[in-house]
Amino acid sequence: MPAYTAPTKDMQFVLHDVLNVTNSDIPGYNELEADFTSVVLEEAGKLASEVIAPLNMVGDSEGCTLGDGGVRTPAGFKDAYEQMRAGGWMGLDCDPDYGGQGMPYVLAIAVSEMFTSANMAFNMYQGLTHGAYSAIHAHGSDSLKATFLPKMVDGQWAGTMNLTEPHCGTDLGLLRTKAVPQDDDSYKISGQKIFISAGDHDLAENIIHLVLARTPDGGDGIKGISLFIVPKFLVNDNGSLGERNGVTVGNLEEKMGIHGNATCVMNYDEATGYLIGELHNGMRAMFTMMNEARIGVGMQGYAQAAVAYENAAIYAKDRLQGRDVTGAQNPDGPADPIIVHPDVRRSLMDQKSFVEGARAFTFWGAKLIDQAQRSDDKDAKALISLMTPVIKGFQTDKGFEMAVQAQQVFGGHGYIEEHGMSQFVRDARIAQIYEGANGVQALDLVGRKLGAKGGKPVMAFFDIIKTFIKENDGNEALKADFLDPLKAASKDLQAASMYFMQHGVKDPNTALAGSNDFMHLFGQVCLGLMWARMAKAAVTALEAGSGDAEFYQTKITTGRYYMARHLPATTMHLARITSGADTVMALAPDAF
Amino acid sequence: MPAYTAPTKDMQFVLHDVLNVTNSDIPGYNELEADFTSVVLEEAGKLASEVIAPLNMVGDSEGCTLGDGGVRTPAGFKDAYEQMRAGGWMGLDCDPDYGGQGMPYVLAIAVSEMFTSANMAFNMYQGLTHGAYSAIHAHGSDSLKATFLPKMVDGQWAGTMNLTEPHCGTDLGLLRTKAVPQDDDSYKISGQKIFISAGDHDLAENIIHLVLARTPDGGDGIKGISLFIVPKFLVNDNGSLGERNGVTVGNLEEKMGIHGNATCVMNYDEATGYLIGELHNGMRAMFTMMNEARIGVGMQGYAQAAVAYENAAIYAKDRLQGRDVTGAQNPDGPADPIIVHPDVRRSLMDQKSFVEGARAFTFWGAKLIDQAQRSDDKDAKALISLMTPVIKGFQTDKGFEMAVQAQQVFGGHGYIEEHGMSQFVRDARIAQIYEGANGVQALDLVGRKLGAKGGKPVMAFFDIIKTFIKENDGNEALKADFLDPLKAASKDLQAASMYFMQHGVKDPNTALAGSNDFMHLFGQVCLGLMWARMAKAAVTALEAGSGDAEFYQTKITTGRYYMARHLPATTMHLARITSGADTVMALAPDAF
């Protein structure tokens, strides 16, 4: 069974040494003292390692089953879910008015990373509930909030998001599910939804589905769509469960991974629903929580890479095969551990430096979300809005790639299911696809976010880099290894942005043909920036002689690897981008 | 169910327009007239599409089962296998003295590509038999050859390769399986082998295992190892099957993919074996067939990408979602097919240009093998020996990446098993691992092949590029789009080679830390060269006004895409390589 050890020390480093969370005027951040976050992370880590992680392979091999009583989750899931509830983890960052603990998102995402690394399919049940909670919290009436939120925050009830239909995934304007208004202000919802994660299960008493549907007067396209609450069981006035609503599971999908999570076809047959948000403005209500959900998926990307890396490193230190080319390291044994081989090291360093960089980037993103939401900071909101598709798209692409590399360290033992490495790869794969496939993230970045507010957010991003480089100009410990490569990579990103501005308006295909490369180029620069900031923090700590010198030295070395070995990708992406749309679009569809 | 259409026209183009196979003095190549190869490829394509491909998903979902009578293959496999035998496909390139058809390898690999795209797990049964055939053919005594080869060439008997043991994969010097000599010149073989593809099955009457084992006087390490034939059923003097030999299936592995192929733990308990090749020189006998086997695996890499691409292209033309940003292309429909979106095109072009480039490269490699074997051409042998790890490593890495991209085109529909795209990805993954994991290929390339014969083969490779560029210097149709980028990429490869020569001897880690990047850099240059040659052939045909102008024009456009969008990776790989081993090797094992 794979190991999972929570990276508490690395997380504390990001929260306190790099992001200086307590030194911030974001409401609630004053609670995030190092001692406090340490206790929270240690406790979450214990639950993740001891309770949730041991169910990961069980969930994969057993999967979910659909019977007369609905979907049954794998053995042990219900018990672990109850432990998660009992520990108060469900509502960690939820509104105290509804029973939540009101913690900042930056702490909640750290905890989520642990649960996701431990068992991604399992943690999705809670994650979907949280998404539904956020939408109801932002857009529901007081009465609906009072009815549904406390039990969702507590985990007694769960939630789902119902967007996709068989003929409509990305293009929600095509959706057909109908909502017919009734005399009592409720609606009758009818239609079919597919790919509904956590669509049904036995972990909670009730499941609160959020469903996009079209009212008869809604007209065509995206503008006629509204958002509805459709509970599995209707709720009586006194809050007790009433009769079964007209929603059933049509099928359980067979899929590549996340077998422990039930991906359902949901059939709505005149099910009772309640409007939340404005009529015909359901997309806006959905988009409210999109940034957060997408950052959560971006976290899943590196969280799978993180646990895969941990196990690859353990295996590489344990597996004896071949000899160090510079001289035997284990002369008394039959061979050396494979970590002596430079290409195995190269792979482990690729993984390690990505995971730690992505964690820092994601936590920074979560801090910006807190800043936007808790301080109503418009600049923070604009910046995180720009970076969200990067966190989601770049990190899930790279996270998958790194999980594949971790699997590769195991050789043939990685291909058989016994060691669990195949599962990490298969589970990580979904994060590139759901919550907006990565091509859609790239389109969002280039087609919408880049030019938003006249380009102010992207200029603000470049300013952050420029300011950082300027502030640390005289720091010889950072210059050659961090500041210079960051500057060069940032120039590539600026050149790409400029190229799009010059060509994009008259020929939008020119920009869009480079959108995937732009997203990756942007991601590299973001992780480059985060590594420069981490190196700065480590150098500062070393100079102050505080803490664990070896830990900080390792950070610097890992960062140097990232700058030397990941960052050169920016030049390639720029070259691809500036080759334009010509060769991309030249062929007629029949030529494919 | 996924589609499969054999790429007969593309193959004919490579064989005749690019490689000019009939215009060659390699013995047997005079038979390869375009009319003849066309008939062979059409017939093979029909078998692949109509018989073998429809069993691909069945094989995946049903898998193999182990019962008292041994391993049972999925429904339909036996019937398809018999059709393959009846068509004479088993022995296509085998020695006519043993019932083979004596065709060149270059034609056999084209046929194999089709069968592999159609059903990789199924075709492995034949592939393993062919590998065992080759070893016996090259090293067996006349008597052993007479006993075993005719039935293996016919497919009545199958074959396997037994190298790996639980504690020893790459490092075969650690192997423990024992071979004790008997009075009658036979040996008693005892030990356990793992990961044995096609280790047992019900497709053939007998299975001929080739087993690496150590004789009591063999001593430690790689030098004490010999190679043995161990048949599942002993063979009587008259050729009929005798009693069951002491070899049994210990277990059937659960794995990520290729479920239709039985990956077995094989237990040898005083099984009767016959030495082939020299005593204590079994590794040499194994290596004889390694080039061919590794090129076969490199073919599997792009063959999975090829069929995944075909299905992604079909889906992209069919699936309606969103509108062309430059104006609706399907104004009467609810949306445009997703192939109008630049990032979907980008992905399809990535796939298409890789697959066609890799096919050309692999066929060229197969031609070099024919040249080496049929003409005893030492230069051809040295060149293909150099390029073999590139074909295996680069093409399986990229092939997997492209299969993942093809899956991504399907969005959520790619993640569920229904469309078969997940299977292509899961099946393709093994090719990066077996027959020498890709890290071992990179090590072989940099540590052994690059410096072989004082670097003569790699210089010969550079000369081929230089000569091609010089010969076509005045060709304006090729210069900017093909010759210039090829020259630049080739310079990156030369710079990397030079870097290794300057640093590698005094610090071998410096070279080895860059080995994976060097393999990829080399692969990019090889495909760049092949695209330049294909463009040249297409330009020539267009000038001559012969054939299908649209076909040739599409080749040129696809090649331009490759040069503009894949080839810029060389600069990134060079930058990674020249960053050296410092950041790669700096951390102590405990820091991981």
Side-chain angles (χ1 to χ4, degrees), chain B residues 122-170:
Chain B
F122 173 79
N123 198 52
M124 285 172 64
Y125 292 102
Q126 189 274 326
L128 269 301
T129 305
H130 194 282
Y133 154 86
S134 296
I136 298 171
H137 189 263
H139 300 285
S141 66
D142 287 344
S143 146
L144 289 172
K145 291 204 264 190
T147 304
F148 293 103
L149 293 187
K151 289 185 175 162
M152 292 175 78
V153 169
D154 171 65
Q156 193 176 343
W157 295 356
T160 72
M161 316 291 299
N162 290 239
L163 289 75
T164 305
E165 299 179 6
H167 55 284
C168 107
T170 299

Side-chain angles (χ1 to χ4, degrees), chain A residues 165-171 174 194-195 253-258 309 313 317 319-322 324-326 334-335 339-343 345-346 348-350 352 400 404-405 407-408 411-418 422 425-427 429-430 432-433 437-439 507-509 512-517 554 557-558 560-561 564-566 568-569 571-572 575-577 579-592, chain B residues 165-171 174 194-195 253-258 309 313 317 319-322 324-326 334-335 339-343 345-346 348-350 352 400 404-405 407-408 411-418 422 425-427 429-430 432-433 437-439 507-509 512-517 554 557-558 560-561 564-566 568-569 571-572 575-577 579-592:
Chain A
E165 299 179 6
H167 56 285
C168 107
T170 299
D171 189 352
L174 303 175
I194 64 168
F195 301 157
E253 302 287 0
E254 296 283 337
K255 48 198 197 301
M256 186 175 182
I258 51 167
Y309 158 72
K317 286 184 267 190
R319 173 79 171 172
L320 305 179
Q321 209 79 176
D324 186 332
V325 68
T326 64
I339 199 169
V340 304
H341 303 307
D343 189 59
R345 282 286 177 116
R346 188 269 316 157
L348 293 174
M349 289 300 295
D350 265 0
K352 180 177 170 64
F400 174 75
V404 169
Q405 284 210 26
Q407 181 189 26
Q408 188 75 16
H413 296 273
Y415 196 68
I416 59 174
E417 296 292 350
E418 190 181 325
S422 161
V425 170
R426 291 184 289 98
D427 287 359
R429 183 70 182 92
I430 189 59
Q432 301 174 276
I433 295 172
N438 285 355
D507 178 13
N509 283 347
L512 297 179
S515 59
N516 180 66
D517 283 286
T554 297
T557 305
T558 309
R560 285 177 57 224
Y561 181 93
R565 292 242 169 190
H566 278 279
T571 317
M572 174 186 73
R576 286 171 57 100
I577 288 166
S579 76
D582 175 24
T583 61
V584 178
M585 303 304 289
L587 293 184
D590 283 351
F592 287 92
Chain B
E165 299 179 6
H167 55 284
C168 107
T170 299
D171 189 351
L174 302 176
I194 64 168
F195 301 157
E253 301 287 1
E254 296 284 336
K255 48 196 196 302
M256 186 176 182
I258 52 165
Y309 159 72
K317 287 186 264 189
R319 172 78 171 172
L320 304 180
Q321 208 80 174
D324 186 332
V325 69
T326 65
I339 199 169
V340 304
H341 303 306
D343 188 58
R345 282 287 177 114
R346 188 269 315 156
L348 292 174
M349 289 300 295
D350 266 359
K352 180 177 169 64
F400 175 73
V404 170
Q405 284 211 26
Q407 181 189 27
Q408 188 74 15
H413 296 274
Y415 196 68
I416 59 174
E417 296 292 351
E418 189 180 325
S422 160
V425 170
R426 290 183 290 98
D427 287 358
R429 183 70 183 89
I430 189 59
Q432 301 173 276
I433 296 172
N438 286 355
D507 177 14
N509 282 348
L512 297 180
S515 59
N516 180 65
D517 283 286
T554 297
T557 304
T558 310
R560 285 179 56 224
Y561 181 93
R565 292 240 167 193
H566 279 280
T571 317
M572 175 187 72
R576 285 171 57 101
I577 289 166
S579 78
D582 174 24
T583 62
V584 177
M585 304 302 290
L587 293 183
D590 283 351
F592 288 92

Side-chain angles (χ1 to χ4, degrees), chain B residues 480-495:
Chain B
D481 290 341
F482 292 94
L483 303 183
D484 291 348
L486 175 61
K487 198 173 190 173
S490 162
K491 270 192 181 163
D492 286 342
L493 185 62
Q494 287 179 56

Side-chain angles (χ1 to χ4, degrees), chain B residues 149-481:
Chain B
L149 293 187
K151 289 185 175 162
M152 292 175 78
V153 169
D154 171 65
Q156 193 176 343
W157 295 356
T160 72
M161 316 291 299
N162 290 239
L163 289 75
T164 305
E165 299 179 6
H167 55 284
C168 107
T170 299
D171 189 351
L172 287 168
L174 302 176
L175 80 75
R176 294 181 192 149
T177 297
K178 290 264 168 283
V180 181
Q182 308 296 304
D183 291 342
D184 62 353
D185 273 3
S186 73
Y187 290 77
K188 290 287 182 206
I189 313 286
S190 300
Q192 188 177 64
K193 296 286 180 178
I194 64 168
F195 301 157
I196 308 308
S197 296
D200 193 46
H201 55 84
D202 53 6
L203 302 178
E205 289 171 8
N206 201 3
I207 300 177
I208 312 309
H209 303 289
L210 287 197
V211 183
L212 281 183
R214 197 183 294 284
T215 51
D217 61 340
D220 289 340
I222 212 89
K223 292 195 177 121
I225 297 172
S226 307
L227 185 62
F228 300 89
I229 290 180
V230 183
K232 176 177 173 180
F233 289 97
L234 293 173
V235 181
N236 297 322
D237 287 345
N238 64 2
S240 64
L241 293 188
E243 65 186 77
R244 191 75 157 75
N245 204 353
V247 47
T248 50
V249 179
N251 193 21
L252 206 53
E253 301 287 1
E254 296 284 336
K255 48 196 196 302
M256 186 176 182
I258 52 165
H259 296 157
N261 198 278
T263 306
C264 300
V265 174
M266 302 300 297
N267 292 325
Y268 292 88
D269 183 13
E270 301 212 330
T272 299
Y274 311 101
L275 178 73
I276 64 169
E278 291 166 44
L279 190 66
H280 306 161
N281 212 352
M283 289 306 291
R284 201 185 136 254
M286 291 301 294
F287 269 104
T288 305
M289 79 205 95
M290 215 61 120
N291 277 354
E292 201 180 306
R294 289 181 170 178
I295 288 172
V297 175
M299 175 276 288
Q300 290 180 326
Y302 81 77
Q304 287 305 292
V307 65
Y309 159 72
E310 179 185 348
N311 285 279
I314 292 170
Y315 188 80
K317 287 186 264 189
D318 182 59
R319 172 78 171 172
L320 304 180
Q321 208 80 174
R323 289 290 184 193
D324 186 332
V325 69
T326 65
Q329 300 297 312
N330 175 34
D332 299 335
D336 289 338
I338 61 171
I339 199 169
V340 304
H341 303 306
D343 188 58
V344 172
R345 282 287 177 114
R346 188 269 315 156
S347 171
L348 292 174
M349 289 300 295
D350 266 359
Q351 297 163 49
K352 180 177 169 64
S353 62
F354 164 73
V355 166
E356 295 177 17
R359 177 179 295 126
F361 183 34
T362 305
F363 285 18
W364 179 36
K367 187 183 171 190
L368 287 170
I369 285 194
D370 282 328
Q371 211 166 329
Q373 292 183 348
R374 292 174 172 244
S375 314
D376 200 25
D377 181 330
K378 298 275 183 292
D379 292 339
K381 191 176 176 185
L383 187 57
I384 188 59
S385 182
L386 170 72
M387 297 195 310
T388 294
V390 181
I391 293 178
K392 197 283 184 182
F394 171 73
Q395 292 191 172
T396 58
D397 278 356
K398 279 281 162 193
F400 175 73
E401 193 186 318
M402 294 301 140
V404 170
Q405 284 211 26
Q407 181 189 27
Q408 188 74 15
V409 171
F410 280 68
H413 296 274
Y415 196 68
I416 59 174
E417 296 292 351
E418 189 180 325
H419 296 273
M421 300 304 289
S422 160
Q423 185 187 353
F424 294 137
V425 170
R426 290 183 290 98
D427 287 358
R429 183 70 183 89
I430 189 59
Q432 301 173 276
I433 296 172
Y434 62 17
E435 203 59 41
N438 286 355
V440 175
Q441 303 299 326
L443 176 67
D444 179 46
L445 177 65
V446 168
R448 192 158 26 184
K449 302 296 175 64
L450 189 58
K453 299 172 195 276
K456 257 181 69 185
V458 76
M459 295 311 297
F461 176 76
F462 288 130
D463 275 346
I464 290 172
I465 294 179
K466 264 184 237 160
T467 306
F468 181 84
I469 291 174
K470 208 169 160 191
E471 277 175 6
N472 295 283
D473 199 25
N475 195 330
E476 285 307 314
L478 297 177
K479 186 150 183 6
D481 290 341

